[in-house]
Amino acid sequence: MKLLKVLFLVVLVSSTILAIARAENIPPEYPFGLKWGMTLEEVKPLCGELISTMTRERPTYGKDTTKKLTSVMVKSLKKTIWLGESEFVHFIFDSEHGLEEIDWRSAPIRNYRFDEAKKKYNELLDILTNSYGEAPAVKRFSGYDSFDDKNKLFDCSPKQGTLCGGVENIWADEKYGAAVVSLSTHKGGISYISLHYHSVESPVAG
């Protein structure tokens, strides 16, 4: 009976968070079922195989200070199964504020016409758009230059190096942080889909 009550509360809280996100067009406060501020020890049981761990100092955005951060990379996260196979999930933990950033990247999608990657990307974009509304900001790039022509997204010019192009859809809010879903295409018919979240405490928030 206690377990059923707990499960009911989890579902209720999750539904409330999504309802707020839909109503106010903001990214979720708790991506992948995780909570900003969690410690590494709290996150570990939810992760797959550990790939690497590194601690470093990073400048704080807009301030003349640095933050001590622990960067952790794992093979998978149980809450991302619906996204498909991942190449890695990357976490940033702040020594003072705990979990601040989450990056999920898909396993390489190999298709020379990029059809499969575009289909998976649009499916993920639809999920986020249904939750948060249309992305307030969309950035497209070819090589390393920004542009607006959608047709150039998959144009692999010899001058661009290995990166053909990509697109990012960005939701940001000064109270909740930001969410970014992106697709990058590379020569040889390789694509990656990424989903990034960061809290307002993150050094990249500003």
Side-chain angles (χ1 to χ4, degrees):
M1 183 62 69
K2 289 184 178 180
L3 179 58
L4 289 176
K5 289 182 179 179
V6 171
L7 289 174
F8 174 78
L9 287 174
V10 169
V11 171
L12 180 62
V13 170
S14 300
S15 300
T16 302
I17 291 169
L18 284 176
I20 292 172
R22 290 190 184 98
E24 300 184 13
N25 194 29
I26 55 176
E29 190 173 2
Y30 306 123
F32 302 134
L34 301 176
K35 184 176 180 179
W36 297 130
M38 291 178 74
T39 65
L40 175 56
E41 294 305 316
E42 290 174 325
V43 173
K44 275 183 178 180
L46 307 175
C47 299
E49 177 186 353
L50 177 67
I51 297 175
S52 65
T53 302
M54 179 178 67
T55 301
R56 58 194 172 91
E57 298 281 339
R58 186 164 75 174
T60 305
Y61 184 88
K63 300 179 181 179
D64 190 23
T65 58
T66 59
K67 303 184 72 170
K68 185 178 180 181
L69 305 174
T70 299
S71 172
V72 179
M73 191 174 293
V74 299
K75 180 62 180 175
S76 61
L77 183 64
K78 295 175 183 178
K79 286 287 185 178
T80 62
I81 294 175
W82 58 276
L83 289 171
E85 186 181 357
S86 60
E87 182 174 61
F88 63 77
V89 185
H90 181 219
F91 304 97
I92 296 291
F93 295 88
D94 173 68
S95 58
E96 181 179 353
H97 298 110
L99 180 63
E100 291 186 347
E101 296 179 41
I102 306 171
D103 273 299
W104 174 90
R105 189 166 94 161
S106 72
I109 303 169
R110 303 180 187 277
N111 178 276
Y112 279 94
R113 292 176 57 85
F114 303 118
D115 292 338
E116 184 181 351
K118 287 187 282 186
K119 179 182 178 182
K120 290 184 177 181
Y121 172 76
N122 286 327
E123 289 174 352
L124 179 56
L125 181 59
D126 285 344
I127 292 173
L128 270 69
T129 300
N130 287 336
S131 293
Y132 320 142
E134 293 290 333
V138 179
K139 177 183 177 183
R140 298 182 179 87
F141 51 92
S142 179
Y144 291 97
D145 298 319
S146 296
F147 73 105
D148 294 321
D149 187 349
K150 296 180 181 179
N151 295 323
K152 291 183 179 179
L153 176 58
F154 307 102
D155 178 20
C156 290
S157 167
K159 298 179 181 180
Q160 295 170 193
T162 60
L163 178 63
C164 299
V167 59
E168 295 180 339
N169 285 261
I170 306 166
W171 293 263
D173 183 271
E174 62 182 12
K175 182 179 178 181
Y176 292 91
V180 182
V181 58
S182 62
L183 166 64
S184 62
T185 60
H186 305 257
K187 289 182 179 178
I190 299 175
S191 307
Y192 296 94
I193 297 171
S194 300
L195 186 53
H196 168 85
Y197 292 94
H198 68 250
S199 75
V200 292
E201 299 292 347
S202 167
V204 301

